[in-house]
Amino acid sequence: EIARQLDSADLQATALDTTGQIYLAKHDYSQAEAYFKKAQALYHGFGNDPDEITLNLAHAAMGQGRLEEAACLLRQSLESVESRGANRFKYQFYELLAKIYEAQNDFQNALEQYKRFHSLKSQVYNEDTQRRLANLMVLQEVETARIDAEIYHLKNLALRKEISVHRQAVADMEILATTDALTGLLNRRHLITLAHYAFDTAQRSSQSLMALMMDIDDFKKVNDCYGHPTGDQVLAEVSAT
C-alpha cells in the first residue's frame, strides 16, 4: 500500500516478491506464484533481482507438481545468467534443477546438476569471503587511521599542556628570581639590572635620571624590641603602601 502511494513500481515489485516468499515458506505455492508473477510484471530493473523472481517462480511451479515447467524456467533463465556472467543465484538454479531431475528419477542429470551446484556454491562463498575480508581490511585501515588521528590529537593536547606548564614554570621562576619573597618588591639584583638599563637609556638620550631612596626610621629598634617576625611584618606593610 505504501509502495502504491509512492507510485514506485520497483518498490511494489519488491513488496510483492517478499510476500510471495512468505507464502512459499508456508508451502502455499499457488498464492506464492500469483505474487511472484505480479512482481515480475512490475519489474523495471531496480529493487529486486529478475533471477531471484524466476527462481521463486520455479519453486512455486515445482511445489505444485509442474516439474517440466519449473525445469524449463530454470534452463531459460540459466541461459540469460550465463550471458550476463551473473553468479549470485546461479548455483541455486542448479540445485533446484537437481531436485527436479531427482523427482523425475533422472538420477544421471540430477547428479550432474548437484556437482555444478556444489562447485558454484564454493566459488560464490569464496568470492563472498574474499569480499568480506577486503571489507574488513578497509575497515581496519579506517579504524587505524582514526586511532592514529586520535593519538595525534591527544599528543597535541599533551604537548600544548606541557608547553603551558613550562611557560607557567618559567614565569614563576622569573618572579622568584626578580622579586623579594617578603615584600613582593623587586629584589636587589633585579633593581641593579633595571638601574643599569635606565642609566644607559638616559645616557644615550641625554635625559635626566633620578633615584629615590626611602628609609624606615628606627627600624633596628623594632627588631630589637619586638623581634624579627614583627620587623618582617612592618617591612611587608610599608612595602604594600
Side-chain angles (χ1 to χ4, degrees), residues 15-65:
L16 290 166
D17 183 61
T18 303
T19 306
Q21 291 184 48
I22 293 170
Y23 280 111
L24 195 65
K26 294 168 66 175
H27 305 293
D28 190 343
Y29 300 110
S30 177
Q31 282 278 30
E33 185 178 36
Y35 278 101
F36 291 143
K37 285 182 177 178
K38 289 178 182 177
Q40 191 177 46
L42 285 169
Y43 176 73
H44 288 126
F46 303 96
N48 54 332
D49 196 305
D51 299 328
E52 185 180 14
I53 295 176
T54 303
L55 184 65
N56 289 333
L57 281 168
H59 268 293
M62 182 181 175
Q64 295 175 83

Side-chain angles (χ1 to χ4, degrees), residues 100-223:
I100 292 171
Y101 285 130
E102 189 177 355
Q104 293 175 330
N105 296 321
D106 187 349
F107 299 111
Q108 183 64 36
N109 270 326
L111 180 60
E112 186 64 29
Q113 302 308 315
Y114 270 124
K115 286 180 180 178
R116 292 177 180 176
F117 157 67
H118 285 294
S119 175
L120 273 173
K121 185 178 179 181
S122 298
Q123 181 183 337
V124 170
Y125 279 16
N126 287 337
E127 289 174 357
D128 286 344
T129 300
Q130 291 174 3
R131 195 178 301 111
R132 284 195 294 270
L133 285 173
N135 288 338
L136 285 173
M137 288 176 66
V138 171
L139 288 173
Q140 184 181 13
E141 289 176 3
V142 171
E143 182 63 13
T144 300
R146 187 192 66 79
I147 291 172
D148 288 344
E150 183 67 20
I151 290 172
Y152 180 75
H153 175 66
L154 291 174
K155 282 183 177 179
N156 280 344
L157 286 177
L159 182 60
R160 282 199 292 268
K161 184 176 180 181
E162 185 178 346
I163 291 171
S164 176
V165 170
H166 179 70
R167 283 176 176 169
Q168 186 60 48
V170 170
D172 292 342
M173 289 174 64
E174 187 177 352
I175 290 173
L176 289 173
T178 59
T179 307
D180 178 70
L182 175 63
T183 63
L185 300 176
L186 299 180
N187 61 20
R188 181 175 179 273
R189 186 178 67 175
H190 195 50
L191 175 63
I192 291 173
T193 300
L194 292 179
H196 279 301
Y197 176 76
F199 181 79
D200 289 343
T201 301
Q203 195 173 37
R204 282 196 306 271
S205 59
S206 301
Q207 292 181 346
S208 300
L209 180 66
M210 292 195 316
L212 175 66
M213 184 176 71
M214 297 178 64
D215 183 40
I216 301 175
D217 293 338
D218 299 321
F219 180 67
K220 186 176 182 307
K221 291 181 180 179
V222 175
N223 281 331

Side-chain angles (χ1 to χ4, degrees), residues 86-100:
N87 284 332
R88 186 181 173 197
F89 295 102
K90 191 175 176 180
Y91 72 93
Q92 295 182 46
F93 279 80
Y94 285 121
E95 181 186 26
L96 193 55
L97 268 174
K99 289 179 180 179
I100 292 171

